[in-house]
Structure formats: structure tokens, C-alpha cells
Amino acid sequence: MKEKIIFFHLLNNYTGSPQVLRNTILVARDMGKEVHLFTSSGEGFLSGIPEITYHPNYYIRSRFRILTLFTFFLSQIFLAVNLLKFRGASCIFYINTILPFSAILMGKMLNKKVFVHIHEYEISPKQLNKFLFWNVRTFADELIVVSNFLSKNPSLFPRSSWVIYNCVKKEIEDQALIQVEVREEFRILMLASLRPYKGIYDFLTLAREIPQAKFELILSESKEDVDRWKQQHDIPGNLSVIPVQEDVVPFYKRASLVLNLAHKEEVLETFGMTILEGMYFGLPAIVPTEGGVTELIKDGVNGFQIDYSDSTSIKALIEKMKSDVPFWMNLSQNAMNQSKHFSTENFRKGIKHILR
């Protein structure tokens, strides 16, 4: 009989953590495992994976935080009940992110091997954060983290963890550039969620202050939510605001620079998937000075580590990259070279080693 692995992920969408889980599932499936997946309905990176069995987890995210919290806890109750059917089965529980906490608890109760793939440094509210990390420390058998930075998270102490860097989708790796290409016009790209601490308002300010450059902001939200947000703000003519995209390759191919303007005092990025995707297309990046994203960008080599609050330095570097083509080309080539350290092959080797 095939070894059975039950995967869990709370919200299926087009963000980094479900993309990483999809890559993990493909490794397990290719190893000959029988794969089951509990996740939410709706379109995302976890949709339509062939040769796996889907199970619903009944989670819905709302614009109202209290309703989201209610559906979160309700989904975990339903999940716990559903998992009773696996009590006599020989299987592994593989939980993606710390959020599906009932899968971790039930895995321990049902005497399953429990793996937790951790993407978060901290979540809110604080009491929920404390509970979720306590749950992981206490009941998980193996911890996988996405960066060395995350492995040192005090909330995981004294547990040790495996560091497996994220990789991009195979489709992106297959379309990656093999040599530097100078774009027709200088375009600055940022992909983020619709949250102020992700730096979306700082990006708007940069677009207003550098009118001679093109800016593109891809938000991980529906067209309706993006249109509503645009109506509430004065969007400059050189900035395009775009709803969630399943295929982001065309945007990387025409961009010259990718930004991460996250506010480190509110959120510490544990990896930086959009930065890595950009590197495959020769995009230098400007990223915060703390967090896992600093393991992707070597300051002054393939980009720069500058906090969002230092807008003067950010604007000066954008102007220099825009006007000094050899300077930009050197950064671009280094970005492409650095991307090879985060290959699909390295990711697959790490996951295979753990699952074996």
C-alpha cells in the first residue's frame, strides 16, 4: 500500500504559503505517496492538483475581523471531527503554517507523525499567537522553517527545526531569463496584500514623487476589493493598481526593479517569495534590513537593504538604476546568479529527505 500523507492549509489563494505547499505536495506525489489535502474552497495555488484527494475545511475570510476569527475557530472544530475517520489509518499529518491547530492536536491524539511547515514569525492577536506557537512546540514531531531567520524565532525555543528555503513554481523557473535584458522603460513592481504595514501607501508616495518612472502594484485581492480601494485614494497616472493574478510572469518580464516595503516594526518577513520570483527575471530588489528576506538580497550586490522609512535613499537608488544602465545590469546579473541558490531541485531534495 502507498504511504498516506494528509496535508492541511487554511486558506487557498495566490500567496506564498499555498504556493510552497503545492510544491511540497508535488514532491510527495512524485515519491509515490497517497496524498490528501484539507483546504478552503475557491481558486488558488492549491486548486486542481492532479492525483490527490481534496477535503473541505469550511474556512471563509471576511473583511470583518471578528467574523474571520469566528469562522477560523469553527473550521478547526469541523476539521477535528473530520479527522476522526483517519484514526485507524497509517498516515502522516503535514500542516502548512501554524494556523490549522486542530490538525496538530488531533495528530498527536491519534498517534500520527506530525510535521509543521512554519512560515510565520508572529501573528495577531498576541494571545492567539502564544497559543498557536505553544501548540506547535508541544505537539509537533518535526518543524520545517523557510529561513535561518525564522529558525531563531524565540517562540520556537527550545525546539530545533529544518531549514528548507522556498522555491518558485516550476512554471516560473522554466520561463526564467538566461541573460540580462534591459527593459524598454524603467518600471518598478511591488506585489503585496492590501494592508498598510506591507508598504502600499509608501509605494503610492514613491510613484507620486518619481513621475518619470512607471509603477505597478499587484494586490492579492479580488478586482472588486481593489476597485473599492482605488476609489478611496488618489492614484497617480504613472501607477497601475492590479488585482490578484494567477500568472505574474508578464509583470516580472517588463519590470526593472521589485520592492518590498514592509514595515519591520509591525511585520518581519520570513522569506520573500515575490523577491525570489523577481530574481529569476534579473530584477534587483530593495528590501527591509531585517527578516528572512535579507537572506535573498546581499546589500549592494543584487539589491539593497533599506527600510521603507528611508525614502530619500530609496528614491536616490531608483534614480541611479534608471539612469546608469551598467550599474543596473550588474545588479541584474547578480540577481539571476543568486536565484540559483533557491532552486526547485534544492527544495525537492530537502522535502524528500524529511519525508523519508
Side-chain angles (χ1 to χ4, degrees), residues 99-112:
L99 291 169
F101 66 86
S102 67
I104 302 172
L105 287 168
M106 292 300 293
K108 193 68 173 180
M109 288 177 59
L110 299 174
N111 198 30
K112 310 300 182 189

Side-chain angles (χ1 to χ4, degrees), residues 132-150:
L132 292 176
F133 274 106
W134 168 83
N135 188 46
V136 168
R137 291 194 310 268
T138 307
F139 299 119
D141 294 299
E142 300 288 350
L143 308 183
I144 303 102
V145 295
V146 300
S147 61
N148 283 309
F149 164 76
L150 188 51

Side-chain angles (χ1 to χ4, degrees), residues 189-193 216-220 240-245 248 251:
L189 174 67
M190 190 168 85
L191 301 91
S193 59
E216 287 186 330
L217 175 62
I218 300 179
L219 296 168
S220 58
S240 299
V241 183
I242 302 153
V244 63
Q245 299 290 306
V248 293
F251 298 94

Side-chain angles (χ1 to χ4, degrees), residues 149-307:
F149 164 76
L150 188 51
S151 70
K152 299 177 177 64
N153 187 347
S155 296
L156 294 176
F157 183 81
R159 295 293 304 275
S160 59
S161 55
W162 302 90
V163 178
I164 300 182
Y165 285 116
N166 296 338
C167 68
V168 300
K169 291 192 303 178
K170 192 67 169 62
E171 294 85 344
I172 287 182
E173 195 172 61
D174 289 343
Q175 296 180 71
L177 299 182
I178 57 175
Q179 62 183 21
V180 173
E181 294 180 1
V182 179
R183 280 53 165 181
E184 291 183 5
E185 57 184 350
F186 200 88
R187 194 181 299 264
I188 299 108
L189 174 67
M190 190 168 85
L191 301 91
S193 59
L194 197 56
R195 291 173 173 81
Y197 59 74
K198 287 293 189 176
I200 53 176
Y201 295 106
D202 308 284
F203 195 74
L204 257 67
T205 300
L206 283 174
R208 292 191 187 104
E209 295 180 352
I210 312 177
Q212 65 274 27
K214 299 288 186 181
F215 288 76
E216 287 186 330
L217 175 62
I218 300 179
L219 296 168
S220 58
E221 316 293 339
S222 67
K223 184 178 185 302
E224 293 73 21
D225 288 340
V226 170
D227 287 343
R228 188 182 305 113
W229 183 79
K230 286 166 65 176
Q231 290 171 4
Q232 298 170 355
H233 299 88
D234 179 22
I235 307 298
N238 62 330
L239 170 61
S240 299
V241 183
I242 302 153
V244 63
Q245 299 290 306
E246 182 176 0
D247 182 14
V248 293
V249 169
F251 298 94
Y252 288 121
K253 282 187 173 180
R254 69 190 187 206
S256 301
L257 172 68
V258 63
L259 299 186
N260 182 320
L261 300 176
H263 297 190
K264 67 179 185 182
E265 68 275 10
E266 295 184 67
V267 60
L268 286 168
E269 302 281 16
T270 57
F271 185 71
M273 182 65 79
T274 62
I275 300 303
L276 178 58
E277 289 174 344
M279 286 162 54
Y280 272 91
F281 296 93
L283 298 187
I286 295 176
V287 303
T289 57
E290 295 181 30
V293 71
T294 62
E295 294 168 45
L296 294 169
I297 298 300
K298 297 181 179 179
D299 195 32
V301 177
N302 62 326
F304 299 90
Q305 298 176 18
I306 306 173
D307 290 326

